Amino acid sequence: MRKDSELREFHAAAWDEPVVMELGRSGARGQIFPAPEAEVTKTVGNAASLIPDGMARNDAPELPELTEFEVQRHYLHLSQQVLGMMGISLFGTCTMKYNSKMVEQLINRPELAETHPLQHPDALQGTMQIIYDLDLMLRSLSGMQRFVFQAGGGADAAYTMAAVARAYWQERGELDTRDEVITSVQAHPCNPATSAAAGFKVISLPLEENGYPSLQALKAAVSERTALLMINNPDDMGIYNPEIKEWVKAVKEIGGLCFYDHANFNGVMGKLSARELGFDACMFMLHKTFGGPKGGGGPAVGAFGCSDELVPYLPAPVIAKDGERYFPDFDRPKSCGKIREFWGNVPIVVRAYAWVRAMGAQGIDLASDISVVTNNYMDKKLGEIRGLEKSHPDFPKWRMEMTRWGLGPMQQDTGVGTVAAANRMADFGIDPWWMSHEPWVVPEPFTPEAGELWSKEDIDQWVAAVQRISDEAYSEPETVLNAPHNQPIARVKGDWMEDPDQWAMTWRAYVRKHLDAAPGSGAGTVDAIVADPENRG
Amino acid sequence: MSAAQRSHPWMASSAPGQIEAMLEELGAGSVKELFEQIPQDHYRSAPLDLPPALLSESELRSDLLATLKRNDTCEENLNFLGAGCWQHHVPGVVDEIVGRTEFVTNVWGSPQSDVGRNQAWFEFNSQLGALLNMDVVQLPVYSWGCAAGHAIRMAARLTGRNRVLISAMSDPERRAVIETYCEPQEMDSHITIETVATDPATGRIDVADLEAKLGDDVAAVYFENPAYLGSIETEGATIAKSAAAAGAETIVGVDPLSLGILVPPADYGANIVVGPTQPLGVHMNGGGGVGGFIASHDIERYVRQFNGFLVSMDHTEVPGQHAFNLACAHQNSYGLREKANDWTGNSVYLWVVANAAYMSLLGPEGFREIGELILSRARYAAKRLAAVPGVSIRWPDTHFKEFVVDFTDAGKTVAEINNALRGRGIFGGKDLSSELPDLGQSALYCVTEIHTASDIDRLANTLEEVL
């Protein structure tokens, strides 16, 4: 029998798959649509005659021409060239979970897939019941008074917070003076970025030696200009700010609002209540913590919840209940408006509802227990590997559900840093790790998160891959530096990515810059593509 | 053994002895000990109040299905609702591809490990770029309204100006999103939205009013083609020229399914083009299928203003090998935080795979056919409905797939009519009577390739019955 610590070998499918634009043949068809019925043509004439003068397209768009089978085969090949959690993915900050196939099959049924958001409310009672019930569940998990699901991701929920804060301060006539948002350099970039996009000035507090900004620094930053505090806890390093109640108190004392970015909820779910800690609002990521799939980056939902005091400012509509009937409540005169069209990514809301029902209160509590146990187990194993260092190595306590690690020593000793090592991880069928958001406060960072899904054996495999990479780094570093070796393609060069003469965001641009353009010919320059410079600014 | 004590199918370490084995390795006495960072007075006092767990898949399925079945569907009913979310045919291959677990569960990976997904993303860009005659397409943002909002903010940064002109007859749903992006007037970076009149005879932009409102403080003109109320805008070139003369950007929102038969906005002078991605092979999903694209020419100063992920071709250590990577990654919020171009993050990238497969299936002829079919049937529908006593069509012979049906002369409200239709298995068009009272009792109807002539006849006959 194979020992757990034995690293399994892997090789990815490599189809040498052309870009779809290179495939097919003239006149091939993948879908055919019927001709308009005879009575239609008799009534309105030929389609071409219905297009206003000058508006008919004269050029055929340069799209591929393929059979239905060929399209299926092409994209199946592409799917097989996606590692995407087929092995082990401990992608930190994203809380990789199993995504129920049964639920996926249900949400693909017409009862959800073939519904329109503007149907009469009586024809959408099922959807609204699920939204309403999930709202109740998230209220219990957070202590907040109401949730909305309009935001299309965690960042969009942070933007929702900024919009709600604007509406709150606008009503008080203070929006022109309450123009600052306080966060930390360790907060997810979406917090400062959405605040700035919403029109606020951003103050980012630096970290102290203990892993979080000092209460003193916060108090120095707080003023009559403070509109909002946006903060996560614990952070991505697995450190919990034990002064968070004092933080909230300091901001509330001058009237500021406090937002709990619950991206790192997995280690504390069932144990903390954002409202009991004093926060005015919080955000849960339904596509992470609540069992929705990642989809390569959405569709996602940032569930935004807030206290009674902020409920009037929520984006409209909220789903309400009158007796036994659910309805979308648009009568919200103080609402901040809309963050996104309609009610949000309903299929992800259904998935989150299903996740909470399948877990139950005990299951959720157990999952947070497990995620903290597995992370510390992994920490211990990683601590035995040469060339690694943990963030805040002198921090004396057990970490929460993830820990920021770094390859600083390995990079110094061998030249092998986190990008090379991540590339090498994939050679073992393990998803390249999450490094860290910028700024990199730990050199050559990586941030694994085991969560409740992955088994001890999976973690042992993952650690064995890191051990192998460390061994290679110190004996044959080229193996890591030239990685990957077992992937669909060789290591990408990346040198076109900031070069306007080389980058190519479409096949058209690639053909123009790399296939047609002889060096120095002038083809492929901006002048050559923009026919009317006066018009194009 | 009670149900709660059984190992949970989604948690490996809930099997007996697993937690204990790890605690032993750690030398920790209890799970509680590992939570030592959290002060005791931070723990919640209120116990979790959640409905009982449905631990078995069969129970969970029954619960979900019973609830979802309370919805009426556009499959069982004949649906004429559009207005930002449209019912189109989704090919079986698209559902198969977008349901592949690798596409559903991947999170990021590397340009090598997840090259297939990056390639599919690039193929989305490339095919949409071919439809748009534009070289730069960004991965979509959350919705069309969000795309328009970001594009307007791009224009404000490009021009250093803070006023935008949009049609007075804009979709209030999208308009509300755009307003959010333009910030309240108390903010220093507030963008003023000014509306341009619509020609009452055609539903198109009133060019004279537009030109009167242009000025050296206008960052952009934003219009849609087809417009929200369905008319095909014919004055795009004039509008773009006037905007350019005033130093403003021209932003056009376009239905990509129209581009097999209609001129792409770039050809009449659009600088930035946005639009919905849901028509390209994504189910309506109760509104959860929406997404919004942003595209421009390959001019660096435009490229440098995009907010999101720009997937580009790349090359590898092996000569001739294709690769796909993120260009200009350091201008987004992951790199620049509050100094970034707005923000980015999770969006609708799984749907991008559906969009790519959809466009590959259609090809140039498929786009032409579907465009002609929609146009023909929508015009047929307008003619059929106009023949119903009490019904008239606002701006006949101007529209693509959506059009305004005026019931004012029927002496009934749209709400009453839609209720009667619903009782007969038909979802009538979106009620416009409160958002655009000048149009009387009007509704926005949407006809696509899924509506046959007999479906349209059924609608007309049913209307005759209920009016």
Side-chain angles (χ1 to χ4, degrees):
Chain A
M1 192 177 158
R2 182 196 289 271
K3 282 193 289 186
D4 292 345
S5 56
E6 270 179 35
L7 188 55
R8 286 154 65 177
E9 300 298 329
F10 168 80
H11 200 296
W15 285 106
D16 194 18
E17 189 70 19
V19 173
V20 73
M21 311 301 274
E22 301 173 278
L23 292 171
R25 66 206 65 80
S26 181
R29 300 296 300 270
Q31 286 280 295
I32 284 173
F33 296 93
E37 293 87 342
E39 64 265 43
V40 170
T41 309
K42 195 177 149 211
T43 308
V44 302
N46 288 326
S49 69
L50 304 176
I51 301 172
D53 288 348
M55 286 305 294
R57 183 171 191 142
N58 295 318
D59 62 319
E62 291 187 28
L63 293 169
E65 297 173 86
L66 296 150
T67 66
E68 195 169 324
F69 169 74
E70 288 168 332
V71 172
Q72 176 184 236
R73 181 175 61 186
H74 172 70
Y75 288 99
L76 283 176
H77 287 176
L78 295 189
S79 75
Q80 290 171 359
Q81 296 187 154
V82 181
L83 184 53
M85 206 180 158
M86 293 301 101
I88 302 167
S89 178
L90 306 188
F91 199 85
T93 75
C94 280
T95 321
M96 306 306 287
K97 302 204 177 196
Y98 171 66
N99 312 124
S100 163
K101 281 290 153 187
M102 180 277 289
V103 178
E104 183 173 324
Q105 287 153 12
L106 277 186
I107 61 179
N108 287 330
R109 289 174 62 106
E111 286 85 355
L112 184 64
E114 298 301 331
T115 57
H116 192 288
L118 301 178
Q119 282 174 218
H120 191 280
D122 289 351
L124 282 174
Q125 288 293 298
T127 293
M128 282 190 278
Q129 182 179 331
I130 287 174
I131 292 175
Y132 188 87
D133 285 352
L134 182 63
D135 173 18
L136 294 181
M137 296 172 194
L138 300 188
R139 291 185 204 182
S140 176
L141 283 160
S142 64
M144 295 299 164
Q145 194 56 37
R146 179 79 86 160
F147 277 81
V148 290
F149 305 105
Q150 210 174 87
D156 213 21
Y159 186 61
T160 305
M161 177 69 253
V164 166
R166 287 190 316 208
Y168 174 89
W169 289 116
Q170 193 174 32
E171 204 207 0
R172 280 155 187 76
E174 294 179 54
L175 187 53
D176 51 343
T177 56
R178 290 278 185 174
D179 59 356
E180 291 179 356
V181 171
I182 301 175
T183 186
S184 93
V185 296
Q186 178 60 22
H188 189 281
C190 73
N191 289 302
T194 56
S195 301
F200 290 108
K201 297 179 183 74
V202 177
I203 299 173
S204 295
L205 303 175
L207 304 187
E208 302 293 329
E209 278 177 12
N210 53 11
Y212 44 88
S214 71
L215 184 58
Q216 200 181 4
L218 173 79
K219 285 180 172 169
V222 166
S223 76
E224 296 294 324
R225 303 203 78 90
T226 305
L228 174 67
L229 169 73
M230 302 178 95
I231 201 79
N232 56 337
N233 194 29
D235 61 25
D236 299 353
M237 294 175 289
I239 295 173
Y240 181 87
N241 179 352
E243 296 170 339
I244 199 69
K245 284 172 120 175
E246 288 72 32
W247 276 50
V248 171
K249 196 164 161 240
V251 174
K252 307 280 311 171
E253 269 170 6
I254 52 87
L257 300 173
C258 295
F259 171 66
Y260 195 158
D261 173 353
H262 251 320
N264 299 342
F265 188 52
N266 220 54
V268 297
M269 54 187 181
K271 297 177 169 65
L272 300 184
S273 155
R275 188 69 186 136
E276 286 188 33
L277 291 170
F279 286 94
D280 301 289
C282 73
M283 177 274 288
F284 293 125
M285 298 221 243
L286 304 189
H287 50 291
K288 295 181 179 177
T289 319
F290 289 79
K294 306 301 179 289
V301 175
F304 178 83
C306 61
S307 67
D308 260 342
E309 194 183 16
L310 293 184
V311 165
Y313 308 101
L314 282 172
V318 300
I319 303 304
K321 194 176 181 184
D322 180 11
E324 289 304 303
R325 182 178 177 274
Y326 302 92
F327 67 100
D329 177 6
F330 288 97
D331 183 19
R332 309 192 64 80
K334 294 180 182 179
S335 167
C336 68
K338 287 206 79 90
I339 300 300
R340 185 187 190 221
E341 292 93 310
F342 308 120
W343 311 344
N345 287 321
V346 178
I348 306 297
V349 173
V350 175
R351 281 184 173 277
Y353 167 88
W355 184 84
V356 176
R357 293 305 310 267
M359 297 293 285
Q362 278 181 301
I364 287 173
D365 190 45
L366 178 60
S368 66
D369 282 357
I370 290 174
S371 63
V372 171
V373 171
T374 52
N375 182 51
N376 282 289
Y377 172 77
M378 182 165 54
D379 265 3
K380 178 163 186 293
K381 298 276 176 184
L382 289 173
E384 294 161 4
I385 297 175
R386 186 179 179 193
L388 276 59
E389 70 180 347
K390 193 152 80 164
S391 76
H392 305 87
D394 300 328
F395 183 78
K397 296 183 176 179
W398 299 108
R399 298 291 168 107
M400 298 300 294
E401 87 290 8
M402 71 182 126
T403 304
R404 172 76 35 81
W405 283 83
L407 295 180
M410 185 185 294
Q411 210 267 345
Q412 292 242 315
D413 297 343
T414 71
V416 170
T418 187
V419 174
N423 283 342
R424 183 73 178 129
M425 287 295 274
D427 281 340
F428 304 105
I430 293 172
D431 287 67
W433 55 43
W434 172 240
M435 295 173 198
S436 162
H437 292 297
E438 295 189 46
W440 282 6
V441 294
V442 176
E444 301 300 317
F446 67 100
T447 315
E449 179 182 0
E452 76 272 16
L453 168 65
W454 306 96
S455 68
K456 182 167 167 292
E457 296 86 345
D458 290 331
I459 295 167
D460 289 340
Q461 271 289 307
W462 200 91
V463 171
V466 180
Q467 179 67 60
R468 170 81 71 88
I469 290 168
S470 170
D471 293 345
E472 289 173 347
Y474 284 95
S475 59
E476 40 169 334
E478 296 77 19
T479 303
V480 189
L481 292 169
N482 294 329
H485 305 284
N486 308 333
Q487 295 299 300
I489 58 170
R491 191 170 71 252
V492 302
K493 290 191 165 178
D495 56 323
W496 294 353
M497 296 302 102
E498 291 292 332
D499 181 352
D501 294 330
Q502 306 278 355
W503 70 41
M505 287 75 159
T506 52
W507 182 252
R508 289 160 55 92
Y510 177 73
V511 169
R512 176 166 54 79
K513 294 181 185 180
H514 295 278
L515 299 184
D516 288 351
S521 70
T525 61
V526 165
D527 288 346
I529 54 158
V530 180
D532 182 0
E534 174 200 301
N535 211 24
R536 308 279 152 75
Chain B
M1 199 179 201
S2 78
Q5 291 167 313
R6 282 185 294 182
S7 176
H8 194 286
W10 300 349
M11 295 192 275
S13 296
S14 65
Q18 293 295 303
I19 291 176
E20 291 75 9
M22 285 186 273
L23 288 176
E24 194 179 325
E25 288 241 17
L26 292 173
S30 68
V31 172
K32 177 79 193 160
E33 187 186 323
L34 300 188
F35 282 85
E36 62 181 335
Q37 287 193 65
I38 302 180
Q40 203 52 46
D41 68 346
H42 286 210
Y43 279 87
R44 57 183 299 144
S45 57
L48 275 186
D49 177 23
L50 298 176
L54 299 172
L55 292 170
S56 71
E57 184 170 295
S58 65
E59 288 170 290
L60 180 60
R61 185 176 187 281
S62 298
D63 174 84
L64 284 167
L65 191 56
T67 310
L68 287 174
K69 276 183 178 290
R70 301 190 63 199
N71 288 340
D72 297 330
T73 76
C74 298
E75 198 171 86
E76 288 172 335
N77 293 269
L78 183 55
N79 168 49
F80 293 96
L81 288 163
C85 184
W86 305 269
Q87 190 175 6
H88 289 287
H89 173 66
V90 177
V93 166
V94 172
D95 278 335
E96 163 67 12
I97 295 301
V98 84
R100 287 284 296 192
T101 299
E102 300 93 325
F103 284 135
V104 171
T105 63
N106 76 81
V107 66
W108 198 239
S110 72
Q112 298 88 214
S113 69
D114 291 62
V115 61
R117 179 206 56 209
N118 287 13
Q119 181 169 339
W121 286 349
F122 176 78
E123 292 175 353
F124 162 82
N125 294 352
S126 296
Q127 295 177 93
L128 190 56
L131 284 166
L132 294 169
N133 280 346
M134 282 185 140
D135 278 5
V136 175
V137 178
Q138 180 181 261
L139 285 188
V141 295
Y142 312 113
S143 68
W144 185 0
C146 295
H150 283 299
I152 289 167
R153 295 177 64 83
M154 283 173 76
R157 293 192 296 271
L158 280 163
T159 59
R161 301 173 177 185
N162 278 42
R163 192 154 69 92
V164 60
L165 305 182
I166 71 172
S167 167
M169 287 195 181
S170 296
D171 180 357
E173 189 88 17
R174 269 195 298 289
R175 163 91 189 251
V177 176
I178 291 170
E179 280 175 5
T180 300
Y181 276 67
C182 287
E183 307 175 25
Q185 58 188 11
E186 290 90 340
M187 318 299 279
D188 292 340
S189 40
H190 166 66
I191 299 170
T192 303
I193 298 172
E194 194 165 342
T195 57
V196 177
T198 304
D199 180 342
T202 62
R204 293 169 179 144
I205 298 269
D206 179 337
V207 176
D209 189 51
L210 174 91
E211 288 176 347
K213 284 171 177 165
L214 276 166
D216 61 9
D217 59 341
V218 173
V221 175
Y222 173 66
F223 67 93
E224 295 175 355
N225 202 0
Y228 164 53
L229 298 180
S231 296
I232 298 170
E233 181 58 66
T234 52
E235 303 308 308
T238 311
I239 295 168
K241 202 167 179 189
S242 299
E249 304 292 328
T250 296
I251 306 170
V252 178
V254 72
D255 178 351
L257 278 187
S258 70
L259 293 176
I261 58 167
L262 296 184
V263 176
D267 289 14
Y268 49 81
N271 306 102
I272 304 171
V273 179
V274 300
T277 58
Q278 182 264 327
L280 301 171
V282 181
H283 296 275
M284 296 180 289
N285 287 308
V290 302
F293 68 81
I294 309 177
S296 79
H297 291 295
D298 196 351
I299 300 171
E300 186 178 1
R301 66 189 197 91
Y302 286 84
V303 174
R304 292 295 180 190
Q305 294 302 331
F306 277 83
N307 72 300
F309 294 123
L310 289 160
V311 178
S312 166
M313 286 281 275
D314 199 346
H315 55 157
T316 78
E317 303 291 345
V318 176
Q321 193 170 53
H322 292 329
F324 312 89
N325 207 342
L326 292 183
C328 309
H330 293 288
Q331 69 195 38
N332 72 41
S333 55
Y334 286 99
L336 284 185
R337 300 174 74 88
E338 68 270 22
K339 294 186 176 63
N341 299 330
D342 299 343
W343 78 94
T344 190
N346 280 289
S347 180
V348 294
Y349 305 144
L350 178 63
W351 299 145
V352 172
V353 178
N355 302 148
Y358 181 85
M359 289 187 277
S360 303
L361 283 164
L362 263 63
E365 272 302 291
F367 272 95
R368 189 186 57 77
E369 270 181 9
I370 196 172
E372 291 188 344
L373 181 60
I374 290 171
L375 180 63
S376 300
R377 285 191 176 153
R379 294 291 176 90
Y380 174 74
K383 288 251 184 322
R384 279 294 276 118
L385 298 188
V388 175
V391 177
S392 61
I393 303 299
R394 190 64 76 139
W395 314 307
D397 309 325
T398 64
H399 59 269
F400 176 54
K401 73 184 177 191
E402 291 176 278
F403 53 97
V404 176
V405 182
D406 189 341
F407 296 100
T408 309
D409 293 343
K412 285 192 168 136
T413 66
V414 173
E416 289 165 347
I417 295 163
N418 279 353
N419 275 335
L421 288 175
R422 195 156 51 86
R424 291 162 174 79
I426 295 175
F427 295 159
K430 182 191 181 192
D431 189 347
L432 300 173
S433 61
S434 56
E435 68 184 62
L436 292 165
D438 289 353
L439 298 183
Q441 288 298 318
S442 288
L444 184 65
Y445 272 70
C446 175
V447 169
T448 76
E449 77 282 6
I450 64 153
H451 298 97
T452 63
S454 67
D455 290 335
I456 294 163
D457 293 342
R458 183 182 151 205
L459 170 65
N461 295 337
T462 311
L463 277 172
E464 284 196 24
E465 207 179 293
V466 304
L467 289 179

